[in-house]
Structures are given as C-alpha cells and as structure tokens.
C-alpha cells in the first residue's frame, strides 16, 4: 500500500532543475542572463540559442550568424509584479543560399508579441467571466490585446441533432432589447443565442436543422409568452409544450394582488382597512401552508398576532377579499398536488363570479389548458434556463454591459458551455460540453 502511494506521488510530481522552468518557461534553449527589478515591474534579460538545423529553403547547412534586436515579450506575474522578457533571438545563415532565418521558440508564436503562458492566462480569465478591462489590468496588457484574443474564438454549431427536451426563453441584452436563448434541459448546454426574438429570426435558425432533428424534440418548456407558443408546433411537430409552473403561480398571485389594491383604494388612507390591506400584502399572497406560527406585534391592529390571526382580522374588515384569497389558495393547492382536473374544474366553476382582473388571468390559463396540464403532470420546467439567465446577468453586470452582441454571445458560450479548462505544461485544453467547440485555440 505504501509503495502504491509513493508511486502516485511520483506520478503527479515533476522535479524542476532551472529557474526558467520554475517561472513557466519550458523551452530549454532560453537562458536567463539577468533579472532587473524596477519599481513597477520585473525585467528579464534572456537569450535564445541552439544548434541550427538544415535550411528550410534549400536544405543546405546553416551556421550561427548573430543575435536579433531584443524582443519585448509580456510575461506572467513574478513575485506579485508584472514581468516582461527581453529576448535576444539567435539568427542563422545558410552557407548555400545565404538566406538568414531567426530561431524559434515555444515561448512565443511566430510574428506574435505575447508569450504563450500569458495567452493561456487570458483564456482562463475569459472562461471565468471576468470583464475584459479587469483581465487587461490584472495581466498588465492592453484591453485591445484581450479583445483580439476573444475575437479569434469561433464556435462550431452542429445542425444534425437537437435535444429531446428543449427550454426556450428570452433575456435582456440592452435596455429595451431582448435576446432569444435555447438550452438543452438535461445537459444545460446552450443550443443558441439569437440577437432578437422575432418569429422570423427564430424560424430561420431552427429551419437550418433537418426535419429528423426537429422531429426528435419531444418536450419544449416555455413561459406564458404568446409569441413562442403558436410557433412551436410548426418548428417541432412532435413536441409537447410545457408552460413553466413558476410562471403560472405568479400569474395567479398578480391577479390576487391587483384585486387587493382595487379593494384598498376606495378606503381613506388613514382607515384601518386601508392600512391593513397595504401593510400585510405579503401575508395575503403567501401560501397558507407556509405561514409562520410565530406571533408578532402588529402596530396596525395594536396587539400581538400570528400571521393567520392577522389575515382573519383583515377578512373581517374586508369580507370580499376572503373569497378571492380562498380561491387562490385552493388553486395553489391543486397545482402543487398535481390535480389537473380539480384545478380546471375549479376555474370554470368560479369564473362567472369573479372580477375582471381574475377573469382575465384565469382565461389566459384556460386558453393554454393543454400546456398547463403538461406542466402539472410532467416533471419539466424552465428552472434550469432561469438559472442560466441569472448567470448571463452576472456576466453582463461584470462587464458593465456590452455594445457588441457577438462579443456578449462569445462570453456567454465561454462561461457556460465550457465543461472544464485544464492546464498541462504550456497547453490549455478547453473541452466543450457538446457540439459547440472552440475552433481556434489560444
């Protein structure tokens, strides 16, 4: 057992023999000659030199020629200070064709000024939802450099397949502008983000998928937005539409709240009825089974009450509210207990006796009866997509908003569609969850 543990430790451990390896320079042909510590940064003077191979042009023998003018290469932090390497590269000359070439290194790509470890760090920071300006400040490089790295990313979309369970919604991109988002319910992978949510844009995108791919979608979860529901049967003929349960409950609670306000307004603002309806609105809208049993001191009624007793007093003052409250609580109960038949029977029975606010709300639910029944009976909702939308808001907030939609879209894909980022040596491995992958690596 002990020998096995020793073997594991050796397997994960690498001994470093040179300072260059310690700071992340893997190229053994680079020699550190001098390190200068300035007030603001650390400067490393280094040379790149090695025995030349054959000429790339004529395959003739090359000889060492001279050193190139030092290149200024931004590097990672060293001891908490930004650092740069002034690297003198050896030049070689061919004896036959007399052509001069410059030595190459894995530290920096050809015709590039940013070191590979620093590019790798930029990639990790982009995945971690940091703002471009913050990444630039942390790594002591320009914002345009970070922006160029972001622009180099391209994403490949696979139009051959769609998930069986699809969630669709919208989120705010700019003030007054809403973008469309579709997500795989099971894996939480983002299928697409579209700049607007018009039916033409959405149809044009999904019609790029084959009929077989669209027929494979069995469930589509959606909110109560009227713009998506009529379009879904045309795009996904075999799909059942599931209206999100978390949108049905607020739809009913808004009707109750508006009814409370309508009943409150005729009373004088200093009256007991007005103050009771105004201050205890949360208790009116709360699920009766979740009301607290603890007593509290009510300034409105001038006595110590439990929330349940407080509601009893309110209904005694305004008896009309009790009928709407009982209806709301009963509908909530049937919805949570998944009694679809009782839920709709109760709506149809109560509908003629309700005010216009409640009638409008319940007629909307009746209009989408089939989809609401699916929501009650099936275990699917838009909860996962709403969580994704919260993360998108965080990305937007961190960046103080985005002017360019493509950049916003790339940041979302990077932050949410990347499964894991693993650094091994000088290589960054970015693994996508599914069909979206990074085509041009950092």
């Amino acid at each position: 057992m002990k020998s096995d543990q020793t073997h594991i430790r050796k397997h994960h451990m690498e001994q470093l023999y040179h300072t260059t390896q310690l700071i992340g320079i893997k190229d053994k042909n680079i020699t550190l000659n001098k390190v200068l510590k300035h007030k603001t940064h650390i400067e490393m003077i280094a040379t790149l030199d090695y025995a030349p191979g054959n000429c790339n042009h004529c395959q003739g023998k090359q000889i060492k020629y001279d050193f190139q003018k030092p290149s200024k290469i931004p590097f990672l932090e060293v001891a908490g200070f930004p650092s740069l390497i002034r690297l003198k590269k050896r030049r070689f000359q061919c004896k036959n064709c007399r052509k001069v070439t410059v030595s190459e290194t894995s530290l920096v790509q050809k015709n590039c000024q940013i070191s590979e470890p620093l590019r790798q760090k930029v990639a990790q920071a982009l995945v971690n939802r940091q703002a471009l300006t913050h990444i630039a400040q942390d790594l002591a490089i320009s914002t345009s450099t970070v922006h160029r790295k972001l622009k180099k990313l391209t994403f490949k979309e696979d139009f051959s397949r769609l998930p069986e369970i699809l969630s669709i919604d919208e989120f705010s991109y700019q003030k007054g502008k809403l973008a469309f988002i579709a997500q795989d319910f099971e894996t939480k992978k983002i299928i697409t983000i579209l700049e607007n949510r018009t039916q033409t844009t959405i149809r044009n995108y999904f019609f790029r998928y084959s009929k077989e791919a669209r027929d494979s979608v069995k469930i589509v979860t959606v909110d109560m937005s009227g713009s998506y529901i009529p379009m879904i049967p045309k795009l996904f003929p075999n799909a059942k539409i599931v209206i999100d349960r978390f949108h049905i409950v607020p739809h009913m609670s808004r009707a109750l709240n508006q009814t409370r306000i309508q009943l409150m307004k005729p009373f004088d603002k200093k009256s007991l009825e007005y103050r009771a309806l105004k201050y205890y609105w949360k208790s009116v809208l709360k699920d009766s089974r979740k009301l607290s049993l603890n007593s509290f001191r009510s300034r409105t009624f001038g006595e110590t009450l439990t929330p349940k007793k407080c509601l009893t007093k309110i209904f005694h003052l305004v008896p009309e509210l009790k009928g709407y409250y009982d209806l709301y609580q009963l509908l909530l109960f049937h919805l949570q207990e998944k009694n679809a038949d009782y839920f709709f029977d109760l709506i149809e029975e109560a509908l003629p006796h309700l005010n216009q606010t409640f009638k409008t709300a319940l007629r909307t639910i009746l209009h989408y009866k089939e989809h609401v029944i699916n929501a009650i009976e099936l275990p699917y909702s838009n909860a996962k997509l709403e969580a994704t939308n919260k993360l998108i808001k965080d990305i937007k907030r961190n960046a103080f908003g985005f002017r360019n939609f493509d950049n916003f879209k790339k940041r979302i894909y990077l932050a949410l569609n990347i499964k894991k980022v693993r650094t091994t040596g000088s290589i960054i491995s970015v693994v996508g969850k599914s069909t979206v992958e990074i085509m041009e690596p950092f």
Side-chain angles (χ1 to χ4, degrees):
M1 183 71 180
K2 190 175 180 182
S3 61
D4 289 344
Q5 289 175 345
T6 307
H7 173 72
I8 291 167
R9 282 199 297 270
K10 283 182 179 178
H11 180 72
H12 292 286
M13 192 168 59
E14 180 189 354
Q15 190 165 346
L16 303 177
Y17 295 97
H18 303 285
T19 308
T20 50
Q21 288 180 315
L22 179 65
I23 62 173
I25 300 173
K26 299 296 182 183
D27 193 339
K28 293 179 181 178
N29 298 317
I30 293 176
T31 307
L32 277 181
N33 301 322
K34 194 189 295 182
V35 178
L36 304 172
K37 186 176 180 182
H38 300 272
K39 286 184 179 179
T40 55
H41 67 283
I42 288 174
E43 187 178 355
M44 293 177 271
I45 315 296
T47 52
L48 172 64
D49 195 5
Y50 54 84
N54 292 333
C55 177
N56 292 332
H57 303 280
C58 68
Q59 298 303 310
K61 187 179 179 183
Q62 293 188 117
I63 58 169
K64 291 184 179 183
Y65 187 58
D66 64 355
F67 281 102
Q68 201 180 41
K69 183 183 174 183
S71 304
K72 190 172 78 171
I73 303 167
F75 196 64
L76 298 173
E77 269 193 2
V78 175
F81 285 90
S83 68
L84 64 90
I85 300 171
R86 293 200 180 271
L87 184 64
K88 291 173 74 175
K89 297 178 183 177
R90 170 69 78 178
R91 297 203 300 175
F92 308 117
Q93 188 176 41
C94 177
K95 278 190 166 185
N96 294 339
C97 64
R98 315 301 293 173
K99 285 190 180 288
V100 175
T101 57
V102 182
S103 55
E104 295 179 6
T105 174
S106 60
L107 177 68
V108 61
Q109 289 182 6
K110 196 173 181 181
N111 302 322
C112 185
Q113 294 182 331
I114 306 293
S115 64
E116 280 304 294
L118 194 60
R119 286 159 65 89
Q120 181 179 310
K121 200 76 175 174
V122 172
Q124 287 177 324
L126 285 169
V127 170
N128 292 337
R129 307 173 201 164
Q130 285 180 257
L132 299 189
T133 48
H134 295 162
I135 295 169
Q137 287 169 6
D138 291 345
L139 301 178
I141 54 178
S142 69
T143 308
S144 58
T145 301
V146 183
H147 191 260
R148 280 198 303 274
K149 300 300 172 279
L150 179 64
K151 283 190 79 173
K152 281 185 180 180
L153 290 175
T154 54
F155 294 88
K156 182 183 177 183
E157 293 184 88
D158 180 9
F159 289 102
S160 64
R161 61 175 295 278
L162 279 166
E164 283 194 7
I165 307 165
L166 188 68
S167 299
I168 62 175
D169 201 0
E170 68 272 333
F171 63 91
S172 174
Y173 153 50
Q174 283 179 350
K175 193 173 182 180
K177 289 185 180 179
L178 291 172
F180 174 85
I181 183 170
Q183 178 177 280
D184 186 334
F185 177 84
E186 297 291 350
T187 64
K188 295 194 281 189
K189 182 188 81 71
I190 295 171
I191 304 299
T192 188
I193 294 170
L194 304 176
E195 192 166 358
N196 60 62
R197 59 191 190 108
T198 61
Q199 291 197 14
T200 307
T201 304
I202 297 167
R203 271 203 313 267
N204 288 346
Y205 174 81
F206 281 108
F207 278 135
R208 294 166 75 183
Y209 287 89
S210 65
K211 189 175 185 304
E212 290 76 22
R214 289 186 286 110
D215 285 348
S216 68
V217 178
K218 304 300 180 196
I219 302 286
V220 177
T221 66
V222 66
D223 59 18
M224 295 184 84
S225 170
S227 57
Y228 301 138
I229 293 172
M231 180 176 53
I232 291 169
K234 297 172 187 174
L235 294 174
F236 314 110
N238 298 333
K240 284 184 177 180
I241 300 170
V242 175
I243 288 182
D244 186 24
R245 288 187 299 278
F246 301 100
H247 282 84
I248 298 168
V249 174
H251 193 70
M252 296 189 300
S253 68
R254 273 195 298 272
L256 179 62
N257 196 38
Q258 286 169 13
T259 301
R260 175 191 65 85
I261 293 166
Q262 287 167 13
L263 292 171
M264 179 183 76
K265 280 186 176 178
F267 291 105
D268 183 82
K269 288 188 177 181
K270 292 181 180 178
S271 68
L272 184 61
E273 291 88 350
Y274 185 94
R275 287 183 293 125
L277 288 170
K278 182 177 176 66
Y279 296 137
Y280 299 114
W281 64 271
K282 283 186 181 179
S283 297
V284 173
L285 299 181
K286 196 165 187 178
D287 186 340
S288 59
R289 291 178 293 175
K290 295 179 182 177
L291 286 171
S292 173
L293 299 174
N294 298 328
S295 300
F296 68 96
R297 178 67 184 173
S298 170
R299 291 176 63 188
T300 305
F301 292 109
E303 57 183 296
T304 303
L305 300 166
T306 61
K308 200 169 183 178
K309 284 182 180 177
C310 181
L311 284 172
T312 305
K313 282 186 169 289
I314 292 170
F315 297 145
H316 180 72
L317 290 168
V318 189
E320 196 179 342
L321 182 63
K322 188 171 186 340
Y324 290 105
Y325 176 82
D326 289 343
L327 173 63
Y328 169 74
Q329 293 296 337
L330 207 48
L331 287 171
L332 208 57
F333 172 79
H334 290 317
L335 189 68
Q336 290 168 349
E337 295 297 316
K338 300 187 177 181
N339 300 325
D341 292 339
Y342 291 134
F343 181 80
F344 283 102
D345 287 348
L346 184 59
I347 289 176
E348 287 170 3
E349 185 186 322
L351 204 59
H353 314 291
L354 301 174
N355 63 9
Q356 193 56 47
T357 305
F358 248 97
K359 276 182 180 177
T360 305
L362 297 185
R363 276 175 183 160
T364 305
I365 292 172
L366 281 174
H367 180 68
Y368 296 122
K369 183 175 180 178
E370 183 189 344
H371 314 322
V372 174
I373 289 171
N374 289 336
I376 294 170
E377 293 178 349
L378 298 172
Y380 306 114
S381 73
N382 258 15
K384 292 180 182 179
L385 186 52
E386 296 296 345
T388 298
N389 285 348
K390 169 66 172 65
L391 294 173
I392 289 171
K393 282 181 184 176
D394 291 342
I395 293 167
K396 182 178 155 188
R397 193 182 298 112
N398 285 343
F400 296 97
F402 285 84
R403 284 176 292 183
N404 186 298
F405 181 76
D406 286 335
N407 289 343
F408 190 21
K409 188 174 173 178
K410 282 179 182 178
R411 292 307 305 273
I412 294 167
Y413 276 139
L414 269 173
L416 303 178
N417 260 26
I418 299 302
K419 190 175 181 181
K420 99 178 143 174
V421 176
R422 182 177 64 253
T423 308
T424 309
S426 60
I427 299 167
I428 183 162
S429 174
V430 184
V431 184
K433 279 187 178 176
S434 186
T435 54
V436 180
E437 56 181 285
I438 293 177
M439 297 299 293
E440 183 175 341
F442 282 94

